Amino acid sequence: MPIKSQTYEFFQPFYDMDEAKKDTPFIAPPQDFIQIFKKRIEWVDPQIKKKTKLLKTMNVEEHAAFMYIQMIKSFVSGVVFNEAEMSVRGWLNHNYQRTQALDLELRKQGKDWTYAGDTMTGWARLDNVYNLLKDVIENGIEGDYIETGVWRGGSSLFAKAIMMA
């Protein structure tokens, strides 16, 4: 028997679920994810007492778009792979690189490379891309975006996600 709430049904077989209650497929347009995230926020917010300082500044739409951006950042930086990811430390003049278990602090600071992700760019620089593009979008500045020196294209993927969110 599923546990029912106003928004979700838990343990409900997918084939037996009301079409309106099915979540977004794994690969979907950003707006589909943002709509699902909005539903989640609206469902959870009445049940919590405090939000972080950052989230207090956002309305539901902004919070959902930010969730989408953070999800994409986790994918392109490889953090989403958790224990399957490693921190790769560049070692000049050698034919191999040093690796270790994923070190989130190194990744945040951009002091390692991803093993499985799509960008060598750390979170601090990805956050910079986010802030710069957000400013461009909010101020209606026209023009093109170009990334030069692409490795696997993760920073460009991230930029595209920001522009679509």
Side-chain angles (χ1 to χ4, degrees):
M1 186 73 158
I3 302 169
K4 294 187 178 191
S5 72
Q6 189 176 24
T7 307
Y8 296 98
E9 292 183 14
F10 299 99
F11 308 114
Q12 181 76 15
F14 192 70
Y15 60 83
D16 193 33
M17 191 180 289
D18 178 355
E19 286 294 320
K21 293 185 179 177
K22 289 182 182 177
D23 268 351
T24 303
F26 187 68
I27 298 173
Q31 292 308 317
D32 290 359
F33 280 104
I34 291 169
Q35 286 303 104
I36 292 299
F37 294 155
K38 279 178 60 177
K39 288 180 186 176
R40 291 178 184 177
I41 293 164
E42 290 166 349
W43 182 65
V44 173
D45 271 3
Q47 302 174 47
I48 62 173
K49 291 183 180 183
K50 286 186 173 184
K51 280 189 162 186
T52 64
K53 187 177 180 180
L54 175 64
L55 297 181
K56 284 180 185 177
T57 66
M58 298 179 189
N59 63 36
V60 173
E61 182 77 29
E62 293 166 334
H63 185 174
F66 187 65
M67 286 173 67
Y68 174 74
I69 297 302
Q70 293 300 305
M71 178 183 75
I72 298 300
K73 181 169 76 171
S74 294
F75 273 97
V76 298
S77 67
V79 173
V80 70
F81 300 116
N82 204 357
E83 292 182 21
E85 172 66 331
M86 292 188 289
S87 287
V88 179
R89 306 290 302 269
W91 202 7
L92 298 177
N93 301 321
H94 290 84
N95 293 331
Y96 61 92
Q97 306 301 324
R98 296 177 293 170
T99 59
Q100 65 185 61
L102 172 63
D103 185 328
L104 191 55
E105 288 307 311
L106 290 177
R107 188 66 45 92
K108 286 179 180 179
Q109 298 170 29
K111 293 185 176 180
D112 73 342
W113 301 337
T114 181
Y115 171 79
D118 296 305
T119 185
M120 291 178 165
T121 307
W123 281 9
R125 288 182 185 88
L126 288 173
D127 289 342
N128 190 47
V129 170
Y130 169 75
N131 290 325
L132 290 170
L133 284 173
K134 185 177 171 196
D135 185 61
V136 165
I137 292 165
E138 287 175 354
N139 289 299
I141 300 169
E142 295 183 23
D144 296 321
Y145 177 87
I146 185 171
E147 178 187 3
T148 58
V150 176
W151 181 51
R152 293 180 182 162
S155 292
S156 290
L157 287 168
F158 184 66
K160 179 70 172 179
I162 294 164
M163 290 184 262
M164 292 179 70

